[in-house]
Amino acid sequence: MKNVDTLIHARWIVPVEPLGTVLENHTLAVEGGRIAALLPTAEARRSYRAETVVELPEHALIPGLINTHTHAAMSLMRGLADDLPLMTWLQEHIWPAEGRFVSPEFVRDGTMLAMAEMLRGGTTCFQDMYFFPDEVARVAVHAGMRAVVGLIVIDFPTAWAQNADDYLHKGMAVHDQLRGNPLVTTAFAPHAPYTVSDAPLEKVAMYAEELDIPIHMHVHETAFEVESALQHTTRRPLTRLKEIGILSPRLMAVHMTQMTEEEILQHAAASAHVLHCPESNLKLASGFCPVHKLMQAGVNVALGTDGAASNNDLDMLGEMRTAALLAKAVSGDASALSAAEALRMATLNGAKALGLDEVTGSLQPGKAADIAAIHLGELESQPLYNVISQIVYASGRHQVSDVWVAGRHLLKGRRLTTLDEEALRARTLEWQERIRRNDMHQEKK
Ligand SMILES: [Zn+2]
């Protein structure tokens, strides 16, 4: 008998690699935060002993979902203003609230709320872009969640930094603090082509190479962005990024709703990634990312929710379903983005984009035990012909029962083990009152 920390016996395991595989009556053995073995349950019961044994007889285990694009702290502004044109929404509601409230405390509380929501929805890893990335990192470590914090760069001053060089300087200090952290890493996060000028982008390209970290950036979100860049710079934003040296295997371009055939091929040739956020694109009427064409060209497409102010949830199961349905509608092809491919997009493709595919993204021996369990025992999940189809097309996040990150049981029977749900609820209510009062005051102006 071999000793391990934890044995998780599950009715089904969907390892994601190989694509479409469903193992029945299998077990994950976890040791030192990693997957030690994946084997039939009968065999595991004979050959392994563990201090902690978890029986999940009506559940499917999947790799923890990876949300590759969030502005986590913006969860505190969820539902503050909806159904408005982009500029009205930003200028009259979001920016005034950010200008008044963004602070280390705001980022701490907003990110904790976001992490609670993400863990309860089966997400084990998120990539963030927001101010005070040092706070995001701190609370992610506190919660035990895997995260890639964005070293944000933007031309104008905010509570976090005064100018582009100040953002870069503070970002690199955060990177230094996190060196060797097993859960939290960094990426440069220049906000967008229209908010970051050439000189800081050149520095981002250079420092990203030096530090060997990825670059996370909103690119070609709307037709308006591309048109106004053509007017002001005579080039499409992607062309400008290529000239500056940003278009590389390090680039994770968020949104990409505007792409010519040539740009798709160019993106594939550069081995750059696309972070697809279908629900945010739909809600803000931004356009459609050509996911099917990108995949056919060989581009790695991962999935994100964007911030809760423009989605309005951080529900990766829901995002997966939207992505699969939308890809079919946009391509006019019902076979585009199958359920298994959508699940891979929400897991392994995300890990690849983040440079973490050696660590997470699939259930394979040697990788971290980043796992979500989905309960498929209720009437709503019957009959059950195909586990992956059931998860992608017919499951909701309330069915996520348990979540582990690096072997730590962070969600146990739907209760969070590292975040205090009651305290979080109380602090969120305080922010709600303060932000609402300020928003009403703005409207009267
Ligand atoms: Zn965004």
Side-chain angles (χ1 to χ4, degrees):
M1 291 284 264
K2 281 178 234 158
N3 280 313
V4 290
D5 297 333
T6 307
L7 285 170
I8 312 168
H9 302 304
R11 176 67 188 276
W12 299 281
I13 295 182
V14 183
V16 169
E17 280 184 294
L19 184 70
T21 302
V22 178
L23 304 168
E24 197 163 357
N25 295 315
H26 269 59
T27 294
L28 281 174
V30 178
E31 171 68 17
R34 290 174 187 278
I35 298 169
L38 167 56
L39 71 173
T41 299
E43 205 184 313
R45 290 193 199 278
R46 280 196 305 272
S47 49
Y48 284 92
R49 192 179 10 214
E51 203 155 297
T52 308
V53 178
V54 182
E55 305 276 351
L56 296 170
E58 297 182 327
H59 302 64
L61 299 183
I62 60 170
L65 299 167
I66 299 180
N67 190 345
T68 60
H69 183 64
T70 63
H71 310 283
M74 290 183 86
S75 286
L76 289 175
M77 292 185 277
R78 182 198 338 256
L80 175 65
D82 294 307
D83 312 322
L84 293 168
L86 180 69
M87 289 327 276
T88 314
W89 176 70
L90 279 174
Q91 288 170 349
E92 290 177 23
H93 300 278
I94 300 301
W95 286 344
E98 285 190 327
R100 175 93 191 261
F101 295 110
V102 170
S103 63
E105 295 70 35
F106 177 93
V107 172
R108 176 195 68 200
D109 291 345
T111 305
M112 293 228 271
L113 177 65
M115 288 192 298
E117 178 182 0
M118 287 193 275
L119 285 170
R120 285 165 56 88
T123 295
T124 53
C125 175
F126 67 107
Q127 163 161 261
D128 201 52
M129 179 196 284
Y130 209 62
F131 311 106
F132 299 96
D134 53 339
E135 278 300 316
V136 178
R138 204 175 59 76
V139 295
V141 168
H142 164 80
M145 227 178 145
R146 198 177 296 285
V148 179
V149 298
L151 312 178
I152 193 165
V153 181
I154 199 161
D155 281 346
F156 49 81
T158 60
W160 167 240
Q162 287 311 300
N163 53 52
D165 279 334
D166 196 21
Y167 283 98
L168 281 164
H169 181 77
K170 287 188 167 135
M172 304 231 277
V174 172
H175 176 83
D176 280 345
Q177 281 166 24
L178 290 168
R179 242 177 244 276
N181 192 298
L183 281 180
V184 182
T185 56
T186 59
F188 276 112
H191 174 264
Y194 57 92
T195 51
V196 191
S197 43
D198 288 2
L201 281 178
E202 280 162 14
K203 288 182 185 165
V204 163
M206 186 176 73
Y207 295 145
E209 198 70 35
E210 263 178 47
L211 302 177
D212 193 21
I213 62 174
I215 300 170
H216 173 200
M217 186 176 196
H218 298 108
V219 186
H220 288 202
E221 182 168 0
T222 60
F224 174 78
E225 172 191 336
V226 177
E227 279 157 25
S228 61
L230 277 169
Q231 275 177 20
H232 294 108
T233 69
T234 70
R235 288 164 299 172
R236 289 167 70 84
L238 209 49
T239 309
R240 181 174 149 240
L241 295 182
K242 188 174 180 231
E243 287 168 11
I244 292 172
I246 293 275
L247 183 65
S248 76
R250 298 189 186 283
L251 177 65
M252 299 177 278
V254 190
H255 298 312
M256 297 294 257
T257 72
Q258 313 293 318
M259 292 193 87
T260 62
E261 302 290 332
E262 199 192 329
E263 283 169 339
I264 291 172
L265 295 176
Q266 177 185 280
H267 216 73
S271 303
H273 309 270
V274 168
L275 309 185
H276 176 40
C277 302
E279 292 188 3
S280 172
N281 296 157
L282 286 166
K283 184 157 182 276
L284 296 173
S286 299
F288 307 113
C289 175
V291 169
H292 190 49
K293 283 186 184 170
L294 284 163
M295 287 170 61
Q296 283 177 325
V299 175
N300 179 50
V301 182
L303 201 59
T305 56
D306 214 344
S310 66
N311 183 304
N312 288 3
D313 59 40
L314 307 178
D315 177 0
M316 284 291 287
L317 279 177
E319 204 72 32
M320 232 187 328
R321 188 188 316 183
T322 303
L325 299 181
L326 189 64
K328 299 169 200 313
V330 167
S331 64
D333 177 355
S335 71
L337 199 59
S338 67
E341 287 171 323
L343 181 61
R344 184 177 60 187
M345 187 181 271
T347 54
L348 188 60
N349 291 10
K352 251 183 217 160
L354 300 172
L356 293 175
D357 50 324
E358 306 264 292
V359 178
T360 188
S362 61
L363 300 177
Q364 299 225 312
K367 284 198 181 186
D370 294 358
I371 308 159
I374 301 176
H375 183 222
L376 297 173
E378 297 287 343
L379 205 52
E380 291 85 345
S381 298
Q382 315 309 317
L384 212 163
Y385 299 112
N386 181 318
V387 171
I388 299 176
S389 156
Q390 208 79 349
I391 291 169
V392 174
Y393 293 124
S395 295
R397 57 182 168 174
H398 56 280
Q399 288 166 253
V400 173
S401 65
D402 295 80
V403 170
W404 292 261
V405 175
R408 267 180 94 187
H409 206 165
L410 300 187
L411 185 75
K412 207 171 186 174
R414 288 207 63 67
R415 290 298 295 180
L416 294 164
T417 62
T418 53
L419 291 166
D420 181 339
E421 294 183 23
E422 289 316 307
L424 208 47
R425 196 186 296 271
R427 279 205 301 277
T428 301
L429 188 61
E430 283 169 28
W431 282 110
Q432 178 188 317
E433 294 308 321
R434 289 173 64 187
I435 294 170
R436 197 211 314 261
R437 246 179 280 132
N438 185 63
D439 192 59
M440 283 161 65
H441 180 69
Q442 283 295 331
E443 265 179 10
K444 271 187 234 141
K445 267 198 216 162

